[in-house]
Amino acid sequence: MNISLLIIGGAIGAVSRYLFGVLLMKRNKQPQFPVAMLVVNLLGSFGLGTFFSFYYGEYHSGDYSDPIYLGLVIGFFGAFTTFSTFSVESVQLFNDKKWKELIAYILISIMGAIFLFAFGFYIVNPGD
């Protein structure tokens, strides 16, 4: 059952990432840096933050026996967001000597993902 949840969540997340990326690339044919993966990773971080807040009410490390965690967090969000593609695109910017774009891409990706996870978490559950 657990593997099935991972497969279903992962398939939906991967297809969603692909379709969202295609849509963004159609609108921005010659981006200065990898806009599609940047937006997908930021959106995924926000979504993950809101999920943790809504479902758990707090941040906690994963419960691998929880089917919702397996299907949604590991499956869907794990496949929707992609650190490996971020790495490839960062190296491509480095190889192309696009220093400003590289720095902007790295900073926006990392800081933006952390900020949007926290924002998504606290907008749902502002705390005391």
Side-chain angles (χ1 to χ4, degrees):
M1 178 66 167
N2 289 351
I3 298 299
S4 297
L5 293 170
L6 290 171
I7 290 169
I8 292 167
I12 293 169
V15 170
S16 297
R17 178 181 74 217
Y18 170 75
L19 293 175
F20 197 74
V22 167
L23 177 68
L24 287 172
M25 293 308 292
K26 281 183 180 180
R27 293 179 180 217
N28 192 0
K29 302 224 187 262
Q30 295 291 323
Q32 292 298 312
F33 59 89
V35 174
M37 282 303 101
L38 175 66
V39 172
V40 164
N41 286 334
L42 294 176
L43 182 61
S45 295
F46 176 77
L48 191 58
T50 57
F51 168 76
F52 266 94
S53 185
F54 179 76
Y55 190 68
Y56 295 110
E58 64 183 12
Y59 175 79
H60 80 29
S61 59
D63 180 1
Y64 283 66
S65 65
D66 180 357
I68 300 294
Y69 184 86
L70 289 173
L72 196 57
V73 173
I74 296 174
F76 177 80
F77 284 111
F80 184 70
T81 60
T82 173
F83 194 75
S84 57
T85 302
F86 162 75
S87 301
V88 169
E89 292 172 339
S90 295
V91 170
Q92 185 63 50
L93 290 170
F94 179 85
N95 287 340
D96 293 344
K97 296 179 174 48
K98 293 184 175 180
W99 309 119
K100 290 183 214 173
E101 293 86 351
L102 173 63
I103 292 168
Y105 184 54
I106 290 171
L107 289 176
I108 294 168
S109 293
I110 294 172
M111 300 305 291
I114 293 168
F115 172 79
L116 285 172
F117 177 90
F119 181 70
F121 185 88
Y122 291 112
I123 199 168
V124 172
N125 186 7
D128 297 323

